[in-house]
Amino acid sequence: MDKILVTGVNGQVGHELMQALAPLGQVIALTREDLDLTQLRQIQAVLEQYQPTIIVNPAAYTAVDKAESDNETAYQVNQFAPQIMAEWAAKHDALLIHYSTDYVFDGTKESAYNESDLTNPQSVYGRSKYLGEQAIRQAQAKHFILRTSWVFGVHGNNFIKTILRLAKERSSLNIVNDQHGAPTSATLIAKMTYQLIDLYIKNN
């Protein structure tokens, strides 16, 4: 039976992953309190303790505006933590599934982005996530990188919940109209992750 370590299970995607991945193996569900991704030595220690065959990392620093002034934490969580996971995975022949963001692009393309488009992050958050992607590739671990955007779900906070709450509280809302995105449900992300891992297990 595969041992599937999932980080950040108190987040939107992590919460859904706990249930979705249960049929595939032993799920080791870690909250932020169990594994603090700013403590880089702790990451190594936790991986050594549990010896997972699959690492699923939805945990991230996602405060886009705050990252501009708190860049050290953003890079620790979004770049260096995935790097440690990828290096461990490469050494132990484990699979790493990591979630990135559309912020690795600059937003100037008039049509939808695809995987082969050139990256050009414009913020600390975007750069930290892009460098995390690069670190995973350079470690040469077996991996999938899933770029998501505008995640929403029943569990946790998100834009849709905020708008619904404000709509109940106010007679009118002022919202920017110069951003375009593809809202993605945490449930869908978890289902796609299940399918990737299922295929991986059946072919290994």
Side-chain angles (χ1 to χ4, degrees):
M1 177 179 289
D2 281 279
K3 295 172 70 174
I4 307 170
L5 186 146
V6 183
T7 68
V9 297
N10 40 359
Q12 294 186 98
V13 176
H15 179 79
E16 297 295 335
L17 285 168
M18 280 193 297
Q19 300 177 17
L21 302 185
L24 296 175
Q26 177 189 352
V27 175
I28 303 161
L30 302 181
T31 66
R32 187 179 302 166
E33 290 69 33
D34 299 322
L35 178 58
D36 183 349
L37 295 190
T38 66
Q39 304 300 314
L40 302 182
R41 289 185 179 179
Q42 185 186 12
I43 300 170
Q44 184 78 26
V46 166
L47 292 173
E48 289 293 337
Q49 175 186 351
Y50 291 108
Q51 294 288 314
T53 51
I54 299 170
I55 305 165
V56 184
N57 182 43
Y61 186 104
T62 58
V64 177
D65 294 333
K66 187 179 178 183
E68 296 299 320
S69 58
D70 189 22
N71 55 77
E72 181 178 351
T73 305
Y75 283 112
Q76 282 183 317
V77 175
N78 293 343
Q79 176 187 358
F80 297 117
Q83 178 180 342
I84 291 172
M85 294 179 197
E87 290 172 350
W88 191 93
K91 183 178 179 181
H92 293 82
D93 194 33
L95 171 70
L96 172 62
I97 296 181
H98 178 72
Y99 303 86
S100 190
T101 173
D102 58 333
Y103 276 81
V104 299
F105 302 114
D106 58 20
T108 59
K109 188 178 178 182
E110 295 185 358
S111 58
Y113 282 99
N114 57 53
E115 295 91 337
S116 61
D117 286 328
L118 292 177
T119 53
N120 186 27
Q122 299 295 298
S123 64
V124 168
Y125 170 67
R127 285 192 295 273
S128 68
K129 294 295 287 184
Y130 168 74
L131 290 172
E133 291 185 8
Q134 290 293 91
I136 291 169
R137 296 187 187 98
Q138 290 169 4
Q140 297 185 333
K142 293 184 293 186
H143 69 273
F144 293 106
I145 297 173
L146 307 180
R147 290 174 177 157
T148 66
S149 66
W150 294 32
V151 177
F152 68 92
V154 175
H155 180 80
N157 298 316
N158 54 67
F159 179 75
I160 293 176
K161 281 187 176 181
T162 299
I163 294 302
L164 290 173
R165 175 178 55 80
L166 292 176
K168 291 180 179 179
E169 298 172 355
R170 304 177 184 178
S171 58
S172 64
L173 299 176
N174 294 320
I175 304 170
V176 297
N177 64 356
D178 61 346
Q179 294 185 25
H180 301 271
T184 311
S185 78
T187 302
L188 176 62
I189 295 170
K191 287 180 178 178
M192 293 300 100
T193 303
Y194 170 92
Q195 292 185 16
L196 285 174
I197 294 178
D198 187 43
L199 285 170
Y200 169 79
I201 291 173
K202 289 176 179 175
N203 286 281
N204 284 274

